[in-house]
Amino acid sequence: EMQLVESGGASVQPGGSLRLSCVASEFAFSNYFFSWVRQAPGKGLEWVANIKRGGDETGYVDSVKGRFTISRDNADNSLFLQMNSLRAEDTAVYYCARWRGAQSELELWGQGTLVTVST
Amino acid sequence: DMQLTQSPSSLSASVGDRVTITCRASQSVSIYLNWYQQKPGKAPKLLIYAASKLQSGVPSRFSGSGSGTDFTLTISSLQPEDFATYFCQESYSRTITFGQGTRLDIK
């Protein structure tokens, strides 16, 4: 069964850093674009970042530009989100998700990993 | 910046009801509009893509329509498992936008 499994979520103080991972299985990881999408407690979905197949093209929501970095390791079927200078408003469940194709839809989602930024 | 506005924000309905949720974009997204269902504590699930195409495995009581700026998600006959939150999402712009969600509760 195709799946995405996130890990790395934790409780961290404001200003701290965290690296999220997402491991893919049962499909050709390198063929797909991926995104990180987050959901603050009790709130809606917010797209965070995109990465294309080769990892050379990325995009970010304005609120995380300069603080978060999306990357991938196609040899290890893994997606990452390096989060620096964390703020309270970054508290959320972070999902990795796979696009069916360019400019299409998010057809496969992980179960999510919780990041809490608090003193 | 692109904005997607869903209406209503919440809705109470009964099993067997026909329900329609709308999503309005602040500028045209052509047919690059998708719908997701999310249940508490779970990841979103793709229902409809490209405005009107049914994702594999999704029951045919779900349907989508629209183009440009105005879209609808219709559930023809509500089932108990359909009570959830629904989100629209556009993939037309470089920065992806979701609607704020519509919570569908049991009346």
Side-chain angles (χ1 to χ4, degrees):
Chain A
E1 179 187 356
M2 295 183 293
Q3 61 177 348
L4 299 169
V5 178
E6 302 96 335
S7 61
S11 184
V12 61
Q13 292 189 339
S17 297
L18 214 51
R19 189 190 197 210
L20 305 184
S21 299
C22 172
V23 177
S25 57
E26 301 299 327
F27 66 91
F29 179 81
S30 61
N31 287 351
Y32 293 92
F33 296 6
F34 288 88
S35 282
W36 287 96
V37 175
R38 66 184 178 184
Q39 187 169 36
K43 302 297 184 183
L45 301 169
E46 180 183 38
W47 168 76
V48 174
N50 270 353
I51 189 165
K52 292 193 174 180
R53 294 183 188 94
D56 51 331
E57 290 190 55
T58 58
Y60 300 90
V61 68
D62 284 348
S63 60
V64 309
K65 281 181 183 175
R67 300 189 300 123
F68 290 12
T69 302
I70 187 172
S71 62
R72 63 191 294 166
D73 183 339
N74 287 342
D76 263 352
N77 296 333
S78 295
L79 179 72
F80 305 101
L81 187 67
Q82 178 66 43
M83 303 186 295
N84 299 330
S85 303
L86 282 161
R87 305 167 179 167
E89 55 265 34
D90 296 319
T91 294
V93 174
Y94 284 74
Y95 297 100
C96 64
R98 186 186 84 182
W99 292 89
R100 197 196 306 269
Q103 202 173 19
S104 64
E105 56 278 347
L106 293 163
E107 61 171 352
L108 181 67
W109 294 68
Q111 85 288 352
T113 188
L114 176 62
V115 172
T116 303
V117 184
S118 172
T119 56
Chain B
D1 287 359
M2 177 73 70
Q3 291 186 18
L4 295 181
T5 303
Q6 290 182 230
S7 60
S9 295
S10 64
L11 173 61
S12 294
S14 301
V15 172
D17 283 353
R18 180 183 180 90
V19 166
T20 298
I21 299 169
T22 66
C23 179
R24 175 162 288 176
S26 58
Q27 55 192 276
S28 176
V29 297
S30 183
I31 61 165
Y32 295 100
L33 193 286
N34 309 308
W35 291 96
Y36 301 85
Q37 177 194 67
Q38 187 181 33
K39 296 182 178 179
K42 300 295 186 181
K45 171 189 171 183
L46 178 65
L47 297 177
I48 301 288
Y49 64 98
S52 62
K53 297 180 180 179
L54 191 68
Q55 170 69 353
S56 175
V58 174
S60 58
R61 63 181 178 273
F62 291 92
S63 63
S65 66
S67 66
T69 60
D70 293 307
F71 300 87
T72 61
L73 171 70
T74 299
I75 310 172
S76 61
S77 178
L78 273 174
Q79 298 302 300
E81 61 268 29
D82 300 337
F83 293 96
T85 301
Y86 294 84
F87 295 93
C88 58
Q89 171 252 321
E90 61 83 21
S91 52
Y92 183 82
S93 57
R94 290 193 64 184
T95 56
I96 308 306
T97 303
F98 287 88
Q100 84 279 11
T102 295
R103 179 174 171 174
L104 178 53
D105 290 331
I106 300 174
K107 184 183 287 184

